[in-house]
């Protein structure tokens, strides 16, 4: 069966003498692994379609559960994200979270749109804000919403909450093992309610955004039983 899918490359690995196995996140098929034959040979025309963050239209052949890429047309290579190391690190982590959080067959439209918006608006100055927005959107789309304003342990309503790194819950001052940060809570809530194209208007440069991003990495690891590395 032949398929046409819009998809983003999550990663790829060498396979055999000249092939690659490419992990794609597709608009309809969700996460799949597909083989590209001969792509490691000199002047292979589909070499760029194996690069992480490459977004394109893929022509696939599906036989049972196996996929093969026979052609691809680029929509956005996102190669500019590779030239800035700090931006690349954040982008790579977002792809890793998709790889960890999703599986074959899950409907991919909302998740694909989320990562594409994140890649569209990310730059060196707002990379952690974009990361936080991306994780909040992704986790919500797979059923792990952060409940702002309600303690995940006792159910108490509060504006002074803390995202607990162990439980992954938003906790109030009575249930938290550390002093809650009203500021961190307000920043998370502000980012969650701001659209991607408006995030650049938020004046957050003076805050510890990497620390807030790392809290969300801990939240993701707890919910997904994963071991995604923190930012350093």
């Amino acid at each position: 069966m032949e398929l046409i899918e819009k998809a983003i490359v999550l990663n790829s690995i060498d396979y055999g003498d000249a092939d690659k196995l490419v992990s794609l996140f597709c608009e309809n098929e969700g996460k799949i692994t597909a083989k590209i034959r001969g792509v490691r040979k000199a002047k292979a025309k589909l070499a760029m379609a194996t690069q992480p963050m490459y977004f394109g239209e893929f022509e696939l052949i599906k036989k049972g559960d196996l996929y093969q890429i026979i052609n691809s047309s680029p929509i956005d290579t996102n190669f500019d994200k590779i030239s800035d190391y700090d931006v690349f690190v954040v982008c790579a982590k977002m792809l890793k979270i998709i790889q960890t959080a999703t599986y074959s067959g899950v409907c991919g439209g909302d998740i694909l749109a989320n990562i594409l918006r994140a890649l569209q608006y990310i730059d060196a100055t707002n990379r952690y804000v974009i990361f936080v927005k991306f994780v909040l959107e992704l986790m919500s789309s797979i059923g792990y919403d952060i409940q702002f304003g309600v303690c995940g342990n006792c159910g108490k309503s509060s504006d002074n909450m803390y995202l607990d790194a162990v439980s992954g819950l938003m906790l109030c001052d009575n249930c938290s093992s550390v002093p809650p940060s009203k500021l961190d809570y307000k920043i998370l809530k502000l980012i969650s309610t701001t659209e991607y194209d408006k995030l650049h208007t938020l004046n957050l440069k003076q805050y510890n955004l990497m620390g807030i991003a790392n809290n969300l990495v801990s939240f993701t690891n707890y919910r997904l039983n994963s071991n995604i590395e923190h930012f350093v």
Side-chain angles (χ1 to χ4, degrees):
M1 178 174 65
E2 292 190 6
L3 301 171
I4 304 293
E5 277 279 0
K6 290 181 179 178
I8 191 167
V9 175
L10 301 179
N11 63 26
S12 64
I13 60 172
D14 293 346
Y15 182 76
D17 292 332
D19 304 340
K20 275 185 175 286
L21 296 178
V22 182
S23 180
L24 298 174
F25 194 83
C26 304
E27 187 173 30
N28 299 303
E29 295 286 297
K31 186 174 68 176
I32 66 171
T33 299
K35 181 165 69 173
I36 304 185
R37 294 184 182 276
V39 74
R40 289 158 53 207
K41 294 179 179 179
K43 298 182 180 180
K45 69 173 185 176
L46 292 180
M48 68 177 177
T50 68
Q51 300 301 309
M53 291 182 275
Y54 170 95
F55 173 57
E57 186 174 80
F58 288 82
E59 296 179 35
L60 303 161
I61 296 176
K62 182 179 182 183
K63 295 181 180 180
D65 294 329
L66 302 177
Y67 295 84
Q68 181 179 331
I69 298 169
I70 57 175
N71 201 7
S72 180
S73 302
I75 298 172
D76 190 343
T77 62
N78 286 301
F79 285 170
D80 58 307
K81 309 302 186 298
I82 300 174
S83 61
D84 187 310
Y85 176 77
D86 291 333
V87 172
F88 173 76
V89 167
V90 175
C91 291
K93 202 174 296 291
M94 291 191 293
L95 296 182
K96 177 66 174 179
I97 291 174
I98 294 177
Q99 182 90 31
T100 304
T102 60
Y103 51 89
S104 179
V106 68
C107 183
D110 290 344
I111 296 173
L112 181 62
N114 183 27
I115 184 61
L116 293 178
R117 286 195 297 270
L119 292 174
Q120 178 183 355
Y121 291 106
I122 196 169
D123 61 35
T125 62
N126 71 355
R127 62 192 187 278
Y128 293 125
V129 174
I130 294 293
F131 177 83
V132 168
K133 177 68 174 177
F134 166 78
V135 174
L136 291 172
E137 293 282 326
L138 175 65
M139 297 304 282
S140 176
S141 70
I142 62 174
Y144 294 120
D145 304 66
I146 291 179
Q147 300 299 317
F148 291 100
V150 179
C151 177
N153 185 51
C154 70
K156 172 186 173 182
S157 296
S158 174
D159 286 329
N160 191 21
M161 309 281 279
Y162 172 76
L163 183 61
D164 185 72
V166 176
S167 68
L169 299 174
M170 193 68 77
L171 300 178
C172 68
D173 51 356
N174 291 328
C175 297
S176 176
S177 60
V178 299
S181 169
K182 191 171 185 177
L183 179 61
D184 286 1
Y185 168 79
K186 286 192 172 183
I187 291 173
L188 277 173
K189 188 174 182 181
L190 181 61
I191 293 173
S192 75
T193 56
T194 303
E195 296 297 326
Y196 273 104
D197 62 348
K198 303 296 184 184
L199 288 172
H200 70 280
T201 67
L202 303 181
N203 185 18
L204 302 174
K205 294 179 181 178
Q206 67 269 39
Y207 302 120
N208 181 18
L209 296 173
M210 186 174 75
I212 295 173
N214 277 331
N215 278 342
L216 283 184
V217 173
S218 296
F219 168 72
T220 301
N221 283 334
Y222 174 80
R223 288 302 190 189
L224 303 180
N225 193 27
S226 57
N227 191 30
I228 296 166
E229 293 182 357
H230 291 79
F231 295 106
V232 294

